[in-house]
Every structure is written in structure tokens, then in C-alpha cells.
Amino acid sequence: MRTNYKLFIIALLGLGLHVQAQEVGLKDVLGRYFLVGTSLNQWQSSLRDFQAAPVVEHHFNAVVAENVMKVDALQPASGDFDFHHADEIADFCKQRQLTLIGHCLVWHSQVPAWFFVDKQGQTVGREELIARIKNHIATVVGRYRGRVRGWDVVNEAFLDDGRMRPSPLYNIIGEDFIEIAFRAAHEADPDAELYYNDYSMALPQKRAAVCRMVRRLKEKGVRIDAVGMQSHVGLDYPSLADYEASIDSFAACGVKVMITELDINVLPNPMEFGGAGVEQDFAYQQRWNPYADGLPQEKAMELEQRWLDLFDIYRRHAAQISRVNLWGIADHNSWLNNWPIHGRTNYPLLFDRQYKEKPVVRKIISLFECF
Ligand code: 9MR
């Protein structure tokens, strides 16, 4: 009887410990090594989607605006800035003591049409475009000085083969636009960290091109603190070896590495698909949307293993990494339900469509607990 009683107490204690362990959030454990972030859409940061905030508070210590700090949101018309939604996310972070990361100052995409044309509708001249970039950066970075820890200054300037992307930025200004943007951001907030951010960063040619750029900026005395590997990955791409090699290469250039937009695409895709270029758009066919009613057990296991493989890399490279950031909280938030094919059901994030954590969250935490 006495033994049974003891066993009962031990079981109760065990249960207590278990419940306590369940309460630890990602940031409580992984946060010992790097920032743990998520992107937020405007419904979440304005609390219209009220389910997101408690998850953010429990699991994350850093936040990025998914869209509201991009050029089209902030300066829809020339000189006409709209900070309403960006201020909302800045307040969201301030109230919860979350680190806010700015995304993004210079990008070829999500730029309003006026930005690259003059009053006659012709391609804008080099000096005028430089002036527009400088003005945008000075205004935006200046406004959030002291509130944004660091900025994705330039986003996606390279093609996957390592050549410069032939965007209006490059075509009109030349590769100098990168240096100009970094210098302008530093001038507007000398304390802000400055990052270069891109996708497909495990590709050797792209990795080499970004390393060359980082070294050149550093030689010229231009501030650059980190390289962001977006990490929109699939179940079987990129290879873990290539991915790890990129972390090592960027770190060897003397910058920190940030995993900035992590998600895992579990859906089959057309052969021609690749990278994360938003211009890709394929017609919907049933065969590209096989898991509309749920992920089969086998796929779920494969997905879980992929998460653990990635987080094991982050664990082993923790000294080189300063932030791991998910691109969204829950599966229904993800852009991957609509890209590169509209209207699919994808499972790319760590929380399900009810904002419930997936079992892999505890496994990731355990991985770092025994570190
Ligand atoms: O997730 C963003 C999606 O809501 C937008 O429609 C899209 C438009 O460009 O941008 C998505 O975020 C992108 C990020 O800003 C830069 N890297 C690629 C991301 C996914 O496209």
C-alpha cells in the first residue's frame, strides 16, 4: 500500500514535470543561441486575427512584417508615405518586448509602378532613381530608428546562377545600387544592423556571388552584419550538405547568418518550378493538390524528419547563426497555399490550421535542451 502511494506521488510529479515541459516555448530554449522569429501578416499584427498573438508571445522573440514594410505598402505614391500598418506592427512588438526586424528596403518586387518611371511614363534616369532609393531609405529607416533592430537592406539581387538579376534597379543604376542602399541605411540609423537577403542560397553559384558581394562591401568599409538565407525549402531540396556549406561560407566572409523565411513545401510541383521568385504562377490541377484533406502519416513523418534535420543544422551552427525566422506561424497563414499554384492546401509551418503546435515543436525543443 505504502509503495503504491509512493508510486502515485512519483507519477503525479512526473505528470507535473511533463505539463511544465509542455509550457516551454521555442524561444525559451532556442533563444539561448539565436533569435527565434516569425513573420506576421497585417491581420495578426492588428489583432483582427486574435489567435496569433498568444502563440507569438509564447514561442517567438522576434517578428518581421510579411508585407507591410515593403515599398508598395509604405510609399504607394511618390512622397506619399503610409505608416499605418507598419506602426501597428512596431507597436505590437513594443508592447510585447519583441525584436522587430525590417523587411525590406530595396527589392525589385512589391515596388509601386511609379518608382521606376518618370512623369512622362518613361524609364526613370539613374540619378533620379538613386535619389528615390535614398529618400525612401532615409524616411523609413529614420522613422523606425531605435525600434527596428536590423533591416533587410537589399533583397534578391542575384539570379540563381549567380549573375545579377536584370531588374530595373540593376539595369538603371548598375550593381552599385547595393552599396548605395547599404550606405543610405547606415546613415539613417548608424545603430541598425544591415542584412542582405535572398532565396536558393544553398546553390553553389549563388553562394559564391553573394560571398563576393559581401567581401567587396566589407573591403570598401560598408556595414553589413548578416546574410539572410530565406530557406523556402522542400522535402528534398536543397541538399543538407549544400545548405550547411552555405552557412559556413557566409560565416567565413565575416558576417552572421540568418535563416530569415523558413518554411517547408510538402506539395508536388511542376518540373519547371524552382527558387522562390514570386513571378512563378502555374495553372491549378488536382494532381498538384493531393493533401487537401490532410497529410498522410508517411508524409507527415517525412516532414517531421526534415524539420529535425534543419534544426539540427541550426544547433550545430548556432555560433554562426543570429536568427532563425519562420515565414508565418500556422499552415493557413502561408503564402505556399497560393504559390506557385493558387488554392492549394500546404503544410509548411510549425503550427496547424487551428494554431495548435505540431508534435515536432517539442522535438525541436528537446534537440536544443540536450545541447
Ligand atoms: O509572403 C509574402 C506574400 O504574402 C506576398 O504576396 C509576396 C509578394 O511578393 O511576398 C511574400 O514574401 C516574400 C518575401 O517578402 C521575400 N522572399 C520571398 C517571400 C515569398 O514570396
Side-chain angles (χ1 to χ4, degrees):
M1 183 64 184
R2 187 168 282 247
T3 319
N4 280 349
Y5 180 71
K6 271 189 193 157
L7 281 176
F8 178 66
I9 297 289
I10 289 169
L12 267 186
L13 278 174
L15 191 67
L17 284 176
H18 182 68
V19 169
Q20 208 181 3
Q22 290 288 324
E23 284 168 0
V24 172
L26 283 165
K27 67 165 169 38
D28 300 319
V29 179
L30 282 63
R32 295 179 202 144
Y33 308 99
F34 37 68
L35 287 171
V36 187
T38 181
S39 66
L40 292 188
N41 63 40
Q42 68 186 74
W43 295 273
Q44 295 169 325
S45 45
S46 65
L47 303 181
R48 271 173 288 165
D49 174 351
F50 60 87
Q51 284 178 289
V55 184
V56 179
E57 288 161 15
H58 193 64
H59 284 283
F60 299 98
N61 54 21
V63 158
V64 182
E66 185 177 2
N67 287 304
V68 302
M69 290 180 117
K70 293 173 179 173
V71 184
D72 61 352
L74 292 181
Q75 201 183 171
S78 178
D80 201 355
F81 287 86
D82 178 358
F83 292 112
H84 177 74
H85 293 298
D87 283 354
E88 218 161 49
I89 198 164
D91 291 344
F92 182 101
C93 289
K94 190 168 178 218
Q95 285 155 12
R96 295 168 177 78
Q97 294 177 308
L98 299 161
T99 297
L100 177 60
I101 306 291
H103 172 82
C104 51
L105 298 171
V106 175
W107 188 22
H108 63 279
S109 184
Q110 285 186 277
V111 184
W114 70 265
F115 208 87
F116 295 126
V117 292
D118 63 18
K119 287 200 182 82
Q120 288 71 46
Q122 304 298 310
T123 303
V124 69
R126 185 173 191 275
E127 292 316 310
E128 175 59 21
L129 183 55
I130 291 174
R132 288 179 186 182
I133 288 173
K134 285 184 172 172
N135 180 53
H136 184 79
I137 291 178
T139 310
V140 173
V141 176
R143 181 178 182 92
Y144 295 104
R145 196 171 165 163
R147 286 191 279 173
V148 165
R149 159 88 58 99
W151 286 93
D152 288 336
V153 179
V154 175
N155 199 34
E156 302 172 6
F158 293 94
L159 297 173
D160 283 359
D161 63 9
R163 284 178 300 145
M164 296 286 306
R165 178 185 296 281
S167 68
L169 294 159
Y170 176 73
N171 292 342
I172 299 170
I173 302 177
E175 62 185 283
D176 284 0
F177 82 87
I178 299 179
E179 182 181 333
I180 290 167
F182 274 84
R183 286 191 190 279
H186 185 54
E187 201 174 310
D189 183 356
D191 295 327
E193 294 179 356
L194 308 180
Y195 321 129
Y196 174 77
N197 191 47
D198 212 328
Y199 59 79
S200 299
M201 294 283 258
L203 293 175
Q205 289 165 303
K206 197 154 187 174
R207 174 201 303 151
V210 172
C211 280
R212 267 196 305 276
M213 177 206 66
V214 171
R215 290 214 171 88
R216 258 203 309 272
L217 288 177
K218 283 185 156 289
E219 276 160 21
K220 290 181 166 180
V222 179
R223 177 170 183 171
I224 174 164
D225 296 272
V227 163
M229 297 173 64
Q230 291 184 8
S231 308
H232 296 293
V233 304
L235 289 173
D236 55 6
Y237 63 87
S239 86
L240 295 175
D242 284 341
Y243 191 67
E244 257 189 283
S246 288
I247 297 177
D248 282 331
S249 300
F250 297 137
C253 298
V255 286
K256 284 286 182 187
V257 176
M258 291 184 156
I259 308 302
T260 50
E261 303 182 14
L262 179 61
D263 48 28
I264 305 178
N265 192 347
V266 299
L267 297 180
N269 284 304
M271 280 295 287
E272 317 84 274
F273 155 84
V278 283
E279 68 288 349
Q280 296 182 85
D281 188 8
F282 299 97
Y284 180 93
Q285 289 176 33
Q286 194 59 46
R287 68 183 167 130
W288 301 129
N289 189 25
Y291 313 128
D293 299 325
L295 209 51
Q297 178 69 2
E298 203 184 280
K299 271 285 155 198
M301 299 307 293
E302 208 182 320
L303 175 59
E304 187 168 293
Q305 190 54 50
R306 186 71 170 165
W307 280 119
L308 294 174
D309 289 344
L310 291 169
F311 274 92
D312 192 50
I313 290 179
Y314 307 149
R315 183 182 65 84
R316 288 187 283 104
H317 291 263
Q320 298 161 322
I321 295 175
S322 55
R323 175 169 53 107
V324 173
N325 205 100
L326 278 296
W327 203 239
I329 304 173
D331 284 342
H332 63 293
N333 305 144
S334 174
W335 71 298
L336 288 171
N337 294 300
N338 293 306
W339 180 92
I341 299 173
H342 203 83
R344 299 197 293 176
T345 306
N346 215 331
Y347 301 84
L349 294 166
L350 291 176
F351 296 81
D352 70 16
R353 287 178 158 72
Q354 279 68 50
Y355 279 110
K356 193 164 151 282
E357 68 176 51
K358 296 181 184 176
V360 74
V361 169
R362 288 300 126 196
K363 296 183 185 174
I364 292 170
I365 289 174
S366 304
L367 198 63
F368 283 76
E369 263 167 345
C370 1
F371 188 15

